[in-house]
mmCIF file of all heavy atoms in Angstrom:
data_model
loop_
_atom_site.group_PDB
_atom_site.id
_atom_site.type_symbol
_atom_site.label_atom_id
_atom_site.label_comp_id
_atom_site.label_asym_id
_atom_site.label_seq_id
_atom_site.Cartn_x
_atom_site.Cartn_y
_atom_site.Cartn_z
ATOM 1 N N VAL A 1 -7.765 -78.267 -28.924
ATOM 2 C CA VAL A 1 -6.456 -78.931 -28.896
ATOM 3 C C VAL A 1 -5.430 -78.032 -29.586
ATOM 4 O O VAL A 1 -5.481 -77.833 -30.804
ATOM 5 C CB VAL A 1 -6.515 -80.310 -29.578
ATOM 6 C CG1 VAL A 1 -5.147 -80.984 -29.522
ATOM 7 C CG2 VAL A 1 -7.571 -81.187 -28.895
ATOM 8 N N LEU A 2 -4.498 -77.487 -28.817
ATOM 9 C CA LEU A 2 -3.545 -76.517 -29.340
ATOM 10 C C LEU A 2 -2.659 -77.117 -30.430
ATOM 11 O O LEU A 2 -2.351 -76.457 -31.434
ATOM 12 C CB LEU A 2 -2.683 -75.978 -28.198
ATOM 13 C CG LEU A 2 -1.820 -74.754 -28.485
ATOM 14 C CD1 LEU A 2 -2.668 -73.589 -28.958
ATOM 15 C CD2 LEU A 2 -1.037 -74.361 -27.235
ATOM 16 N N ALA A 3 -2.242 -78.347 -30.257
ATOM 17 C CA ALA A 3 -1.380 -78.987 -31.262
ATOM 18 C C ALA A 3 -2.087 -79.046 -32.618
ATOM 19 O O ALA A 3 -1.459 -78.851 -33.670
ATOM 20 C CB ALA A 3 -0.980 -80.385 -30.810
ATOM 21 N N LYS A 4 -3.386 -79.302 -32.599
ATOM 22 C CA LYS A 4 -4.137 -79.380 -33.866
ATOM 23 C C LYS A 4 -4.279 -77.998 -34.503
ATOM 24 O O LYS A 4 -4.343 -77.870 -35.729
ATOM 25 C CB LYS A 4 -5.503 -80.031 -33.635
ATOM 26 C CG LYS A 4 -5.420 -81.505 -33.250
ATOM 27 C CD LYS A 4 -6.790 -82.140 -33.207
ATOM 28 C CE LYS A 4 -6.692 -83.616 -32.860
ATOM 29 N NZ LYS A 4 -5.940 -84.374 -33.879
ATOM 30 N N VAL A 5 -4.338 -76.953 -33.670
ATOM 31 C CA VAL A 5 -4.371 -75.589 -34.200
ATOM 32 C C VAL A 5 -3.098 -75.298 -34.983
ATOM 33 O O VAL A 5 -3.131 -74.741 -36.085
ATOM 34 C CB VAL A 5 -4.541 -74.569 -33.052
ATOM 35 C CG1 VAL A 5 -4.353 -73.135 -33.562
ATOM 36 C CG2 VAL A 5 -5.912 -74.719 -32.404
ATOM 37 N N PHE A 6 -1.970 -75.701 -34.421
ATOM 38 C CA PHE A 6 -0.688 -75.458 -35.086
ATOM 39 C C PHE A 6 -0.559 -76.297 -36.361
ATOM 40 O O PHE A 6 -0.002 -75.845 -37.369
ATOM 41 C CB PHE A 6 0.465 -75.756 -34.137
ATOM 42 C CG PHE A 6 0.530 -74.824 -32.951
ATOM 43 C CD1 PHE A 6 1.225 -75.171 -31.808
ATOM 44 C CD2 PHE A 6 -0.114 -73.599 -32.984
ATOM 45 C CE1 PHE A 6 1.289 -74.317 -30.724
ATOM 46 C CE2 PHE A 6 -0.061 -72.729 -31.900
ATOM 47 C CZ PHE A 6 0.644 -73.091 -30.761
ATOM 48 N N GLU A 7 -1.058 -77.533 -36.318
ATOM 49 C CA GLU A 7 -1.022 -78.373 -37.514
ATOM 50 C C GLU A 7 -1.857 -77.751 -38.635
ATOM 51 O O GLU A 7 -1.447 -77.746 -39.800
ATOM 52 C CB GLU A 7 -1.551 -79.775 -37.180
ATOM 53 C CG GLU A 7 -0.645 -80.587 -36.271
ATOM 54 C CD GLU A 7 -1.307 -81.872 -35.815
ATOM 55 O OE1 GLU A 7 -2.291 -82.292 -36.466
ATOM 56 O OE2 GLU A 7 -0.856 -82.458 -34.804
ATOM 57 N N GLU A 8 -3.032 -77.231 -38.285
ATOM 58 C CA GLU A 8 -3.883 -76.572 -39.274
ATOM 59 C C GLU A 8 -3.163 -75.357 -39.866
ATOM 60 O O GLU A 8 -3.201 -75.119 -41.080
ATOM 61 C CB GLU A 8 -5.187 -76.128 -38.609
ATOM 62 C CG GLU A 8 -6.133 -75.362 -39.527
ATOM 63 C CD GLU A 8 -7.287 -74.741 -38.764
ATOM 64 O OE1 GLU A 8 -7.024 -73.831 -37.938
ATOM 65 O OE2 GLU A 8 -8.429 -75.162 -38.990
ATOM 66 N N HIS A 9 -2.477 -74.604 -39.028
ATOM 67 C CA HIS A 9 -1.737 -73.417 -39.478
ATOM 68 C C HIS A 9 -0.653 -73.807 -40.474
ATOM 69 O O HIS A 9 -0.458 -73.136 -41.504
ATOM 70 C CB HIS A 9 -1.128 -72.725 -38.257
ATOM 71 C CG HIS A 9 -0.316 -71.511 -38.579
ATOM 72 N ND1 HIS A 9 -0.851 -70.381 -39.144
ATOM 73 C CD2 HIS A 9 1.018 -71.259 -38.420
ATOM 74 C CE1 HIS A 9 0.097 -69.470 -39.315
ATOM 75 N NE2 HIS A 9 1.238 -69.986 -38.881
ATOM 76 N N GLU A 10 0.036 -74.907 -40.179
ATOM 77 C CA GLU A 10 1.093 -75.368 -41.081
ATOM 78 C C GLU A 10 0.513 -75.790 -42.428
ATOM 79 O O GLU A 10 1.053 -75.460 -43.489
ATOM 80 C CB GLU A 10 1.848 -76.539 -40.445
ATOM 81 C CG GLU A 10 2.975 -77.072 -41.311
ATOM 82 C CD GLU A 10 3.655 -78.273 -40.678
ATOM 83 O OE1 GLU A 10 3.518 -78.458 -39.460
ATOM 84 O OE2 GLU A 10 4.314 -79.019 -41.412
ATOM 85 N N ARG A 11 -0.623 -76.511 -42.388
ATOM 86 C CA ARG A 11 -1.252 -76.948 -43.641
ATOM 87 C C ARG A 11 -1.676 -75.750 -44.487
ATOM 88 O O ARG A 11 -1.550 -75.759 -45.719
ATOM 89 C CB ARG A 11 -2.460 -77.842 -43.343
ATOM 90 C CG ARG A 11 -2.106 -79.213 -42.792
ATOM 91 C CD ARG A 11 -3.312 -80.147 -42.846
ATOM 92 N NE ARG A 11 -4.443 -79.629 -42.079
ATOM 93 C CZ ARG A 11 -4.651 -79.882 -40.796
ATOM 94 N NH1 ARG A 11 -3.795 -80.630 -40.132
ATOM 95 N NH2 ARG A 11 -5.724 -79.387 -40.176
ATOM 96 N N GLN A 12 -2.182 -74.717 -43.812
ATOM 97 C CA GLN A 12 -2.602 -73.527 -44.535
ATOM 98 C C GLN A 12 -1.421 -72.836 -45.210
ATOM 99 O O GLN A 12 -1.530 -72.375 -46.352
ATOM 100 C CB GLN A 12 -3.308 -72.561 -43.574
ATOM 101 C CG GLN A 12 -4.687 -73.025 -43.123
ATOM 102 C CD GLN A 12 -5.293 -72.100 -42.088
ATOM 103 O OE1 GLN A 12 -4.616 -71.232 -41.526
ATOM 104 N NE2 GLN A 12 -6.585 -72.279 -41.814
ATOM 105 N N LYS A 13 -0.305 -72.770 -44.524
ATOM 106 C CA LYS A 13 0.880 -72.123 -45.103
ATOM 107 C C LYS A 13 1.366 -72.887 -46.332
ATOM 108 O O LYS A 13 1.720 -72.294 -47.351
ATOM 109 C CB LYS A 13 1.995 -72.031 -44.061
ATOM 110 C CG LYS A 13 1.702 -71.063 -42.925
ATOM 111 C CD LYS A 13 2.837 -70.995 -41.932
ATOM 112 C CE LYS A 13 4.065 -70.313 -42.514
ATOM 113 N NZ LYS A 13 5.130 -70.119 -41.526
ATOM 114 N N VAL A 14 1.352 -74.204 -46.237
ATOM 115 C CA VAL A 14 1.776 -75.025 -47.380
ATOM 116 C C VAL A 14 0.796 -74.845 -48.537
ATOM 117 O O VAL A 14 1.201 -74.698 -49.704
ATOM 118 C CB VAL A 14 1.874 -76.508 -46.968
ATOM 119 C CG1 VAL A 14 2.134 -77.382 -48.187
ATOM 120 C CG2 VAL A 14 2.982 -76.702 -45.945
ATOM 121 N N ALA A 15 -0.492 -74.854 -48.238
ATOM 122 C CA ALA A 15 -1.505 -74.700 -49.286
ATOM 123 C C ALA A 15 -1.399 -73.333 -49.959
ATOM 124 O O ALA A 15 -1.690 -73.197 -51.156
ATOM 125 C CB ALA A 15 -2.902 -74.885 -48.696
ATOM 126 N N ASN A 16 -0.969 -72.327 -49.207
ATOM 127 C CA ASN A 16 -0.824 -70.983 -49.770
ATOM 128 C C ASN A 16 0.505 -70.783 -50.496
ATOM 129 O O ASN A 16 0.786 -69.680 -50.975
ATOM 130 C CB ASN A 16 -0.957 -69.936 -48.656
ATOM 131 C CG ASN A 16 -2.346 -69.898 -48.057
ATOM 132 O OD1 ASN A 16 -3.311 -70.290 -48.708
ATOM 133 N ND2 ASN A 16 -2.456 -69.432 -46.822
ATOM 134 N N GLY A 17 1.295 -71.837 -50.544
ATOM 135 C CA GLY A 17 2.566 -71.756 -51.250
ATOM 136 C C GLY A 17 3.648 -71.021 -50.488
ATOM 137 O O GLY A 17 4.685 -70.648 -51.058
ATOM 138 N N GLU A 18 3.454 -70.818 -49.192
ATOM 139 C CA GLU A 18 4.470 -70.139 -48.402
ATOM 140 C C GLU A 18 5.620 -71.092 -48.119
ATOM 141 O O GLU A 18 5.425 -72.276 -47.840
ATOM 142 C CB GLU A 18 3.878 -69.647 -47.082
ATOM 143 C CG GLU A 18 2.775 -68.625 -47.251
ATOM 144 C CD GLU A 18 2.233 -68.167 -45.906
ATOM 145 O OE1 GLU A 18 3.052 -67.931 -45.001
ATOM 146 O OE2 GLU A 18 1.004 -68.056 -45.770
ATOM 147 N N MET A 19 6.829 -70.574 -48.191
ATOM 148 C CA MET A 19 8.017 -71.382 -47.934
ATOM 149 C C MET A 19 8.222 -71.513 -46.424
ATOM 150 O O MET A 19 8.188 -70.523 -45.690
ATOM 151 C CB MET A 19 9.252 -70.741 -48.573
ATOM 152 C CG MET A 19 9.203 -70.700 -50.088
ATOM 153 S SD MET A 19 9.174 -72.367 -50.832
ATOM 154 C CE MET A 19 10.799 -72.940 -50.348
ATOM 155 N N LEU A 20 8.407 -72.721 -45.972
ATOM 156 C CA LEU A 20 8.710 -72.960 -44.570
ATOM 157 C C LEU A 20 10.224 -72.933 -44.388
ATOM 158 O O LEU A 20 10.965 -73.491 -45.197
ATOM 159 C CB LEU A 20 8.140 -74.312 -44.126
ATOM 160 C CG LEU A 20 6.617 -74.429 -44.261
ATOM 161 C CD1 LEU A 20 6.176 -75.842 -43.918
ATOM 162 C CD2 LEU A 20 5.923 -73.426 -43.366
ATOM 163 N N ASP A 21 10.680 -72.259 -43.354
ATOM 164 C CA ASP A 21 12.110 -72.048 -43.159
ATOM 165 C C ASP A 21 12.765 -73.287 -42.557
ATOM 166 O O ASP A 21 12.736 -73.492 -41.347
ATOM 167 C CB ASP A 21 12.332 -70.837 -42.249
ATOM 168 C CG ASP A 21 13.817 -70.493 -42.114
ATOM 169 O OD1 ASP A 21 14.612 -71.019 -42.916
ATOM 170 O OD2 ASP A 21 14.160 -69.703 -41.220
ATOM 171 N N ASP A 22 13.324 -74.139 -43.427
ATOM 172 C CA ASP A 22 14.024 -75.340 -42.983
ATOM 173 C C ASP A 22 15.538 -75.179 -43.092
ATOM 174 O O ASP A 22 16.281 -76.137 -42.887
ATOM 175 C CB ASP A 22 13.595 -76.554 -43.818
ATOM 176 C CG ASP A 22 12.126 -76.887 -43.628
ATOM 177 O OD1 ASP A 22 11.556 -76.442 -42.626
ATOM 178 O OD2 ASP A 22 11.566 -77.585 -44.489
ATOM 179 N N ASP A 23 16.002 -73.990 -43.444
ATOM 180 C CA ASP A 23 17.417 -73.789 -43.726
ATOM 181 C C ASP A 23 18.274 -74.145 -42.517
ATOM 182 O O ASP A 23 18.123 -73.572 -41.434
ATOM 183 C CB ASP A 23 17.672 -72.326 -44.111
ATOM 184 C CG ASP A 23 19.143 -72.083 -44.446
ATOM 185 O OD1 ASP A 23 19.746 -72.959 -45.097
ATOM 186 O OD2 ASP A 23 19.663 -71.028 -44.041
ATOM 187 N N GLY A 24 19.192 -75.100 -42.720
ATOM 188 C CA GLY A 24 20.165 -75.427 -41.692
ATOM 189 C C GLY A 24 19.696 -76.356 -40.606
ATOM 190 O O GLY A 24 20.452 -76.646 -39.670
ATOM 191 N N LEU A 25 18.477 -76.852 -40.654
ATOM 192 C CA LEU A 25 17.995 -77.756 -39.614
ATOM 193 C C LEU A 25 18.654 -79.126 -39.740
ATOM 194 O O LEU A 25 18.747 -79.676 -40.839
ATOM 195 C CB LEU A 25 16.480 -77.916 -39.695
ATOM 196 C CG LEU A 25 15.625 -76.730 -39.262
ATOM 197 C CD1 LEU A 25 14.163 -76.996 -39.576
ATOM 198 C CD2 LEU A 25 15.798 -76.465 -37.766
ATOM 199 N N VAL A 26 19.108 -79.659 -38.619
ATOM 200 C CA VAL A 26 19.687 -80.999 -38.615
ATOM 201 C C VAL A 26 18.961 -81.850 -37.576
ATOM 202 O O VAL A 26 18.353 -81.332 -36.639
ATOM 203 C CB VAL A 26 21.205 -80.982 -38.311
ATOM 204 C CG1 VAL A 26 21.956 -80.204 -39.380
ATOM 205 C CG2 VAL A 26 21.480 -80.417 -36.922
ATOM 206 N N LEU A 27 19.058 -83.145 -37.756
ATOM 207 C CA LEU A 27 18.387 -84.103 -36.881
ATOM 208 C C LEU A 27 19.362 -85.190 -36.484
ATOM 209 O O LEU A 27 20.089 -85.722 -37.330
ATOM 210 C CB LEU A 27 17.191 -84.735 -37.606
ATOM 211 C CG LEU A 27 16.555 -85.969 -36.955
ATOM 212 C CD1 LEU A 27 15.835 -85.585 -35.665
ATOM 213 C CD2 LEU A 27 15.589 -86.648 -37.924
ATOM 214 N N CYS A 28 19.380 -85.514 -35.203
ATOM 215 C CA CYS A 28 20.175 -86.654 -34.738
ATOM 216 C C CYS A 28 19.321 -87.487 -33.793
ATOM 217 O O CYS A 28 18.640 -86.947 -32.910
ATOM 218 C CB CYS A 28 21.442 -86.188 -34.028
ATOM 219 S SG CYS A 28 22.555 -87.558 -33.613
ATOM 220 N N VAL A 29 19.353 -88.807 -33.982
ATOM 221 C CA VAL A 29 18.544 -89.727 -33.177
ATOM 222 C C VAL A 29 19.443 -90.797 -32.573
ATOM 223 O O VAL A 29 20.179 -91.480 -33.293
ATOM 224 C CB VAL A 29 17.437 -90.393 -34.019
ATOM 225 C CG1 VAL A 29 16.588 -91.306 -33.139
ATOM 226 C CG2 VAL A 29 16.573 -89.360 -34.705
ATOM 227 N N ASP A 30 19.396 -90.915 -31.259
ATOM 228 C CA ASP A 30 20.092 -91.979 -30.541
ATOM 229 C C ASP A 30 19.067 -93.050 -30.199
ATOM 230 O O ASP A 30 18.415 -93.013 -29.159
ATOM 231 C CB ASP A 30 20.735 -91.405 -29.272
ATOM 232 C CG ASP A 30 21.427 -92.472 -28.430
ATOM 233 O OD1 ASP A 30 21.705 -93.559 -28.969
ATOM 234 O OD2 ASP A 30 21.687 -92.209 -27.235
ATOM 235 N N ALA A 31 18.893 -93.993 -31.118
ATOM 236 C CA ALA A 31 17.861 -95.025 -30.984
ATOM 237 C C ALA A 31 18.460 -96.256 -30.319
ATOM 238 O O ALA A 31 18.867 -97.217 -30.984
ATOM 239 C CB ALA A 31 17.280 -95.372 -32.356
ATOM 240 N N GLY A 32 18.545 -96.230 -29.006
ATOM 241 C CA GLY A 32 19.193 -97.301 -28.263
ATOM 242 C C GLY A 32 18.245 -98.377 -27.795
ATOM 243 O O GLY A 32 17.041 -98.329 -28.019
ATOM 244 N N GLY A 33 18.805 -99.350 -27.112
ATOM 245 C CA GLY A 33 18.016 -100.480 -26.649
ATOM 246 C C GLY A 33 17.121 -100.155 -25.472
ATOM 247 O O GLY A 33 16.123 -100.827 -25.237
ATOM 248 N N THR A 34 17.468 -99.118 -24.698
ATOM 249 C CA THR A 34 16.664 -98.740 -23.542
ATOM 250 C C THR A 34 15.651 -97.671 -23.880
ATOM 251 O O THR A 34 14.500 -97.710 -23.437
ATOM 252 C CB THR A 34 17.569 -98.230 -22.405
ATOM 253 O OG1 THR A 34 18.511 -99.252 -22.067
ATOM 254 C CG2 THR A 34 16.751 -97.881 -21.176
ATOM 255 N N SER A 35 16.066 -96.683 -24.682
ATOM 256 C CA SER A 35 15.171 -95.596 -25.058
ATOM 257 C C SER A 35 15.651 -94.957 -26.349
ATOM 258 O O SER A 35 16.760 -95.240 -26.822
ATOM 259 C CB SER A 35 15.102 -94.529 -23.951
ATOM 260 O OG SER A 35 16.372 -93.921 -23.784
ATOM 261 N N CYS A 36 14.807 -94.105 -26.915
ATOM 262 C CA CYS A 36 15.137 -93.397 -28.143
ATOM 263 C C CYS A 36 15.125 -91.896 -27.848
ATOM 264 O O CYS A 36 14.130 -91.369 -27.349
ATOM 265 C CB CYS A 36 14.117 -93.720 -29.240
ATOM 266 S SG CYS A 36 14.414 -92.848 -30.787
ATOM 267 N N LYS A 37 16.234 -91.220 -28.150
ATOM 268 C CA LYS A 37 16.344 -89.785 -27.903
ATOM 269 C C LYS A 37 16.643 -89.092 -29.223
ATOM 270 O O LYS A 37 17.568 -89.473 -29.933
ATOM 271 C CB LYS A 37 17.441 -89.495 -26.882
ATOM 272 C CG LYS A 37 17.220 -90.157 -25.525
ATOM 273 C CD LYS A 37 18.360 -89.854 -24.586
ATOM 274 C CE LYS A 37 18.122 -90.510 -23.216
ATOM 275 N NZ LYS A 37 18.154 -91.974 -23.288
ATOM 276 N N ALA A 38 15.850 -88.067 -29.532
ATOM 277 C CA ALA A 38 16.020 -87.321 -30.777
ATOM 278 C C ALA A 38 16.305 -85.855 -30.462
ATOM 279 O O ALA A 38 15.789 -85.312 -29.480
ATOM 280 C CB ALA A 38 14.772 -87.439 -31.649
#
């Protein structure tokens, strides 16, 4: 499962104290009555 490979990679980086590059990331969610779009 490729998604699980990537999740494992992320956990390893965090465990090794590596900084994940979150600089400038923004999130917007349009959570409407018909559907939710992020």
Side-chain angles (χ1 to χ4, degrees):
V1 181
L2 192 58
K4 293 187 178 297
V5 171
F6 295 160
E7 291 172 19
E8 177 190 66
H9 179 64
E10 181 183 341
R11 289 194 301 270
Q12 288 175 348
K13 291 181 70 174
V14 173
N16 294 336
E18 297 180 43
M19 295 297 294
L20 300 175
D21 185 14
D22 296 341
D23 181 40
L25 288 173
V26 298
L27 167 69
C28 187
V29 182
D30 177 18
T34 302
S35 64
C36 178
K37 300 179 179 66

